[in-house]
Amino acid sequence: MYRYDEFDHRFVRERTAQFADQVRRRLDGTLTEDEFKPLRLMNGLYLQLHAYMLRIAIPYGTLSARQMRRLADIAERYDRGYGHFTTRQNIQFHWAQLKDVPEILEKLAEVEMHAIQTSGNCIRNVTTDQWAGAAADEIMDPRPWCELLRQWSSLHPEFSFLPRKFKFAVTGAPNDRAVCRGHDIGLRMHTNEAGEPGFEVMVGGGLGRTPMLGKTVRDFLPVGELLPYVTAIMRVYNRFGRRDNKFKARVKILVHDLGLDAFKTEVEAEYAKGDHEHEVEVSGDELQRIRAYFAPPAYEDLPERDPEHDRRVFQDKDFAQWVRANVAKHKVQGYAIVNVSLKPIGGIPGDASAEQMRAVADLAERYGKGEIRVTHEQNLVLPHVRRQDLHALWQALERHDLATPNLGLVTDIIACPGLDYCALATARSIPVAQAISRRFEGVARQDEIGELKIKISGCINACGHHHVGHIGILGLDKQGKEFYQITVGGSGAEDAAIGRILGPGFAAEEVPDAIERLVQGYLKGRNDRTEPFLAWTRRVGQQELKEALYAAA
Amino acid sequence: MPLLKKGVFVEDAWIFVADDVPIPSKGPIVVGLDRLEAEGDAIAPARRLGVRLKAGERVERLAPHLQRLDLVALEFPVFSDGRAFSAAAMLRKRMGFAGEIRATGQVRVDLHPFMRRTGFDAFQIEDDARVLRSWRDADIAVDLAYQPDDATRDGPLPVWEARRRHRREAA
Ligand code: SF4
């Protein structure tokens, strides 16, 4: 994991002191709320329905056990004993008091954390594959590049007052677990014919009210050119992105309005000036320094199979189910990636109690080399676990209600905070997620249905990524009543697609039945078990999908 | 309007000439971009001349006139409109402009570090007690940055450069 050096520490400390001063000026009335607003937003502090919400950056979703414990302390001391993990691989506390915020930030700074640039029209927390450095299908580790981008974008002098927020995602694997095409800039690492490392650069993805998938502006950008090249993109966007209408201000609209070719021409013309290098030049030794932090942990030489593990899988069907659903293939023999579900049946997606956070921290230390990841699907990951420890780990997770065997299954639902917390919401999302989760509670049934990603947003801002859900649910307000529009066939993976609306929406209480009908239609209509839900939606026509969704009861 | 340069409030000798007002017969003047292009050649070469750029106007248009210019005023129509940061950075670094780059419009103290680091060296501040007080109060700031500050060269030492030096010393 990356560790702050004295400079990173000083940077965050200075920033914390600066914000503490701004809070002080707000509390004593020197600053009005209007003046304070842009300042607090630069520090991740939102004013929500009931209280302030503090959003804390978890750069590329990586946490140490120590950091997780600190989050638990904050949850207990300053919130109601909970934290909420988000689709940005961040954590939010929904019940913060303004007067406590400087103290919270100080406590975070002690463990190398902060809330800088988690809101506002700037470059936000860079996200990546939650299995980075561990996944069997990984070509290159994206984390050093994420860290480089994090440093480069921190209080960037030119790009901190953009037309709108700006999000980066990076993946080092062909299976895109970072929704690269759903970001303002998506970077996919790969190699060219000569075997040199580089990025495919995708620009202009984004969900929200005008969902668009990112378009490729460079198939292959040598890794060394990353910062100069993204500087050129950012400059084109900063200069020419729309500022007259915040709903048309994301870079996706600029790419769309100019057309991909004209946008590319602008970027390449800017880049051809060639004077971005010294602004952001990163000497080889700096990259080397960062890379060293991401060296693989000390793995043991283990056999691929562990007879004891195999025996337990054979004997204990609950354990077997959890292994099947939540454990993924590691790149090192004898190790596994463990996904810790924050989606207990009927629970609030992404919520973790202080006690659960501490449990995960302890287990990460005991079984997982002290490392924890947060996923954009609002779960946690222990990326490096010995196969032989899986059973003991599973039992411990069970005790804390963290072993729901549902990763990627129908009850592993993404939901934004919605009307229960969010001032922008038009409808609730959490209760809808809970109702669907309860409806599909049975493990055998979930298994039968297979991979099915449901994503719920409480308004068109789409924080719940509903557009890229295999089933997307969007909560709207229709004459004062909550009402839910359902889309089908979206995907945030390498086969990215925006889901299609099939017809009229549903009242809240009708949603579980509607999902049930779709699932029934799928189970009846699929070729066989090897055809997942998403493939089925793509194979059959709109008509068949409609018939399933609106079938008479 | 109060003008801040190098940390002190100074007398402002420049006359900002509105587009529909005749150019006064003497004194240093700042004109709009269209007027610079149309009438620039007619202005006595010895006279001090500046131009003001609206946020949407392309800074590249100044290229043919840069030799002639002593001041470029860049506008922040609202404080959150960051286009002028790109304009300043391009003026300083790409176009090599060494004269005064002045921030006008909603020039808020919280933008100051970003402005300074992209090349602004003069700040025209709203004559409002609260805004002025905030500039005086702002003694706590981030003076460490990751990105090089070669636009002004008097800014904080960039982190990456500091690390490099650190490594050299250690070696
Ligand atoms: S999608 Fe809407 S309701 Fe949900 S968190 Fe985002 S802004 Fe709030």
Side-chain angles (χ1 to χ4, degrees):
Chain A
M1 269 186 69
Y2 186 72
R3 293 299 312 266
Y4 280 12
D5 67 359
E6 57 184 294
F7 303 108
D8 299 306
H9 270 297
R10 231 179 79 206
F11 179 83
V12 170
R13 273 202 312 272
E14 284 179 5
R15 183 70 185 185
T16 305
Q18 183 191 46
F19 188 54
D21 177 62
Q22 289 161 348
V23 170
R24 185 183 54 69
R25 286 193 280 146
R26 173 68 191 113
L27 288 171
D28 74 13
T30 314
L31 288 175
T32 63
E33 169 54 23
D34 267 2
E35 291 168 318
F36 182 57
K37 186 176 171 192
L39 305 178
R40 64 171 166 75
L41 283 179
M42 290 183 73
N43 289 280
L45 190 62
Y46 287 77
L47 192 53
Q48 296 219 300
L49 285 179
H50 316 287
Y52 280 102
M53 179 271 276
L54 181 65
R55 183 183 292 153
I56 295 163
I58 302 177
Y60 34 97
T62 298
L63 279 175
S64 67
R66 176 163 176 250
Q67 290 172 324
M68 185 64 112
R69 282 197 193 96
R70 185 56 56 95
L71 294 176
D73 295 344
I74 290 170
E76 240 160 28
R77 189 122 173 233
Y78 306 101
D79 198 284
R80 300 187 171 178
Y82 282 88
H84 179 74
F85 290 98
T86 77
T87 52
R88 294 294 305 155
Q89 298 182 304
N90 286 329
I91 186 168
Q92 295 178 176
F93 290 110
H94 288 272
W95 299 96
Q97 302 267 337
L98 182 57
K99 66 171 178 41
D100 293 333
V101 170
E103 203 172 295
I104 299 176
L105 293 178
E106 258 164 57
K107 288 196 177 343
L108 288 169
E110 283 168 18
V111 296
E112 310 181 4
M113 296 184 80
H114 58 72
I116 302 167
Q117 287 176 216
T118 57
S119 54
N121 294 336
C122 53
I123 299 172
R124 302 286 189 90
N125 189 30
V126 177
T127 55
T128 190
D129 184 352
Q130 64 269 16
W131 297 348
D137 63 350
E138 184 170 277
I139 302 170
M140 278 171 287
D141 190 342
R143 292 171 302 166
W145 301 101
C146 294
E147 174 58 26
L148 196 60
L149 286 168
R150 183 191 75 81
Q151 296 189 20
W152 163 77
S153 62
S154 291
L155 301 190
H156 195 288
E158 190 177 336
F159 307 131
S160 291
F161 296 87
L162 298 165
R164 199 79 175 87
K165 60 188 169 185
F166 203 95
K167 301 175 180 178
F168 277 78
V170 191
T171 178
N175 296 300
D176 180 6
R177 289 173 286 264
V179 203
C180 284
R181 289 207 189 270
H183 285 74
D184 296 283
I185 290 185
L187 299 165
R188 181 180 68 85
M189 304 195 75
H190 64 119
T191 49
N192 63 7
E193 296 82 46
E196 293 151 348
F199 296 97
E200 178 189 2
V201 183
M202 300 161 255
V203 182
L207 302 174
R209 72 175 65 201
T210 324
M212 288 188 195
L213 298 177
K215 297 175 186 65
T216 302
V217 295
R218 272 279 188 117
D219 284 319
F220 184 83
L221 179 78
V223 286
E225 294 181 43
L226 178 65
L227 294 186
Y229 194 75
V230 297
T231 300
I233 297 176
M234 296 308 301
R235 181 173 281 171
V236 167
Y237 172 55
N238 189 44
R239 298 183 71 198
F240 306 124
R242 281 181 66 172
R243 291 176 186 264
D244 58 328
N245 178 344
K246 78 177 226 188
F247 300 119
K248 298 200 185 298
R250 294 286 288 271
V251 70
K252 63 188 172 188
I253 304 290
L254 180 64
V255 175
H256 181 263
D257 287 354
L258 287 177
L260 179 60
D261 286 334
F263 178 78
K264 262 202 242 179
T265 307
E266 281 284 357
V267 169
E268 292 296 337
E270 172 62 36
Y271 188 54
K273 297 286 184 193
D275 56 4
H276 315 92
E277 275 92 334
H278 69 290
E279 172 132 341
V280 289
E281 186 201 2
V282 183
S283 61
D285 51 352
E286 172 62 18
L287 190 62
Q288 238 20 66
R289 187 190 73 86
I290 292 178
R291 239 192 211 131
Y293 290 107
F294 299 99
Y299 295 116
E300 292 162 49
D301 210 355
L302 299 172
E304 178 54 30
R305 303 200 74 86
D306 178 63
E308 181 60 16
H309 170 79
D310 292 348
R311 191 181 61 76
R312 290 188 191 275
V313 167
F314 189 70
Q315 285 177 347
D316 186 337
K317 75 173 195 339
D318 290 343
F319 176 54
Q321 169 62 28
W322 178 78
V323 170
R324 200 158 52 235
N326 290 29
V327 175
K329 196 165 160 42
H330 197 282
K331 61 162 82 166
V332 174
Q333 173 169 308
Y335 283 84
I337 299 170
V338 169
N339 295 282
V340 177
S341 173
L342 294 181
K343 317 286 176 66
I345 297 302
I348 297 176
D351 266 18
S353 68
E355 176 258 321
Q356 287 177 317
M357 292 185 220
R358 286 200 187 97
V360 171
D362 291 347
L363 294 170
E365 268 170 356
R366 182 128 177 233
Y367 299 113
K369 314 240 178 237
E371 210 182 310
I372 302 153
R373 307 284 174 78
V374 181
T375 84
H376 83 267
E377 291 175 326
Q378 302 177 287
N379 292 312
L380 301 176
V381 173
L382 302 181
H384 315 287
V385 179
R386 297 189 306 180
R387 225 159 226 297
Q388 63 203 55
D389 292 333
L390 286 175
H391 191 263
L393 173 58
W394 170 69
Q395 286 180 316
L397 288 171
E398 281 260 272
R399 282 196 290 279
H400 298 280
D401 201 12
L402 289 167
T404 313
N406 61 353
L407 201 91
L409 301 179
V410 57
T411 59
D412 182 8
I413 300 168
I414 292 186
C416 77
L419 199 51
D420 292 293
Y421 296 97
C422 179
L424 303 172
T426 40
R428 289 172 301 168
S429 6
I430 292 169
V432 175
Q434 290 170 315
I436 298 171
S437 167
R438 275 189 219 104
R439 171 65 63 96
F440 290 95
E441 180 167 13
V443 170
R445 182 122 188 277
Q446 291 186 50
D447 217 27
E448 173 67 26
I449 298 164
E451 188 183 65
L452 173 44
K453 299 192 173 184
I454 298 183
K455 307 188 191 225
I456 310 177
S457 305
C459 80
I460 45 175
N461 288 321
C463 303
H465 294 182
H466 66 277
H467 298 295
V468 293
H470 299 172
I471 296 178
I473 301 176
L474 166 62
L476 296 166
D477 175 289
K478 198 179 181 184
Q479 285 133 27
K481 285 194 82 157
E482 289 166 306
F483 145 95
Y484 296 83
Q485 198 170 67
I486 294 185
T487 52
V488 173
S491 166
E494 60 287 352
D495 58 353
I498 307 281
R500 286 158 293 156
I501 300 171
L502 296 176
F506 298 92
E509 60 281 6
E510 297 168 344
V511 173
D513 285 335
I515 304 300
E516 177 88 55
R517 288 192 299 271
L518 260 179
V519 168
Q520 287 303 341
Y522 156 66
L523 290 174
K524 267 196 252 131
R526 69 183 174 188
N527 286 331
D528 56 49
R529 282 197 66 150
T530 63
E531 183 178 51
F533 180 86
L534 181 62
W536 170 73
T537 65
R538 288 176 175 181
R539 176 174 56 82
V540 304
Q542 183 94 349
Q543 196 49 38
E544 195 164 327
L545 296 174
K546 257 190 185 162
E547 276 162 24
L549 182 59
Y550 297 102
Chain B
M1 260 188 218
L3 181 68
L4 192 69
K5 283 181 85 165
K6 294 200 162 72
V8 286
F9 286 99
V10 295
E11 203 59 47
D12 185 8
W14 290 88
I15 306 160
F16 279 64
V17 186
D19 290 335
D20 51 2
V21 168
I23 291 177
S25 58
K26 53 181 204 294
I29 48 167
V30 178
V31 297
L33 179 58
D34 291 336
R35 196 162 201 178
L36 174 73
E37 287 177 338
E39 301 170 36
D41 292 342
I43 297 167
R47 190 167 187 189
R48 298 218 295 153
L49 179 64
V51 64
R52 55 171 191 277
L53 230 60
K54 294 203 199 77
E57 290 173 329
R58 289 199 178 215
V59 66
E60 288 93 335
R61 284 169 64 187
L62 295 184
H65 311 280
L66 271 192
Q67 291 300 333
R68 178 71 186 82
L69 292 172
D70 300 289
L71 179 152
V72 177
L74 299 174
E75 181 205 18
F76 287 81
V78 292
F79 87 92
S80 57
D81 186 333
R83 284 178 284 188
F85 294 119
S86 286
M90 291 169 73
L91 264 177
R92 283 285 186 241
K93 255 183 52 194
R94 179 166 297 166
M95 303 168 74
F97 180 65
E100 175 177 323
I101 300 184
R102 183 184 293 199
T104 66
Q106 282 201 3
V107 180
R108 292 292 151 83
V109 65
D110 307 287
L111 300 181
H112 177 255
F114 302 95
M115 290 174 171
R116 214 198 52 231
R117 291 173 51 211
T118 44
F120 287 92
D121 54 3
F123 310 91
Q124 195 167 295
I125 299 161
E126 244 173 283
D127 204 355
D128 170 287
R130 190 193 294 276
V131 175
L132 284 172
R133 191 167 61 237
S134 73
W135 279 81
R136 274 194 292 270
D137 285 354
D139 51 351
I140 302 170
V142 174
D143 80 329
L144 194 65
Y146 284 95
Q147 308 79 5
D149 197 6
D150 49 7
T152 50
R153 301 201 180 276
D154 64 349
L157 189 63
V159 169
W160 285 335
E161 183 53 34
R163 281 185 185 134
R164 222 168 277 149
R165 286 193 196 172
H166 201 72
R167 273 195 294 270
R168 268 204 301 272
E169 278 159 27

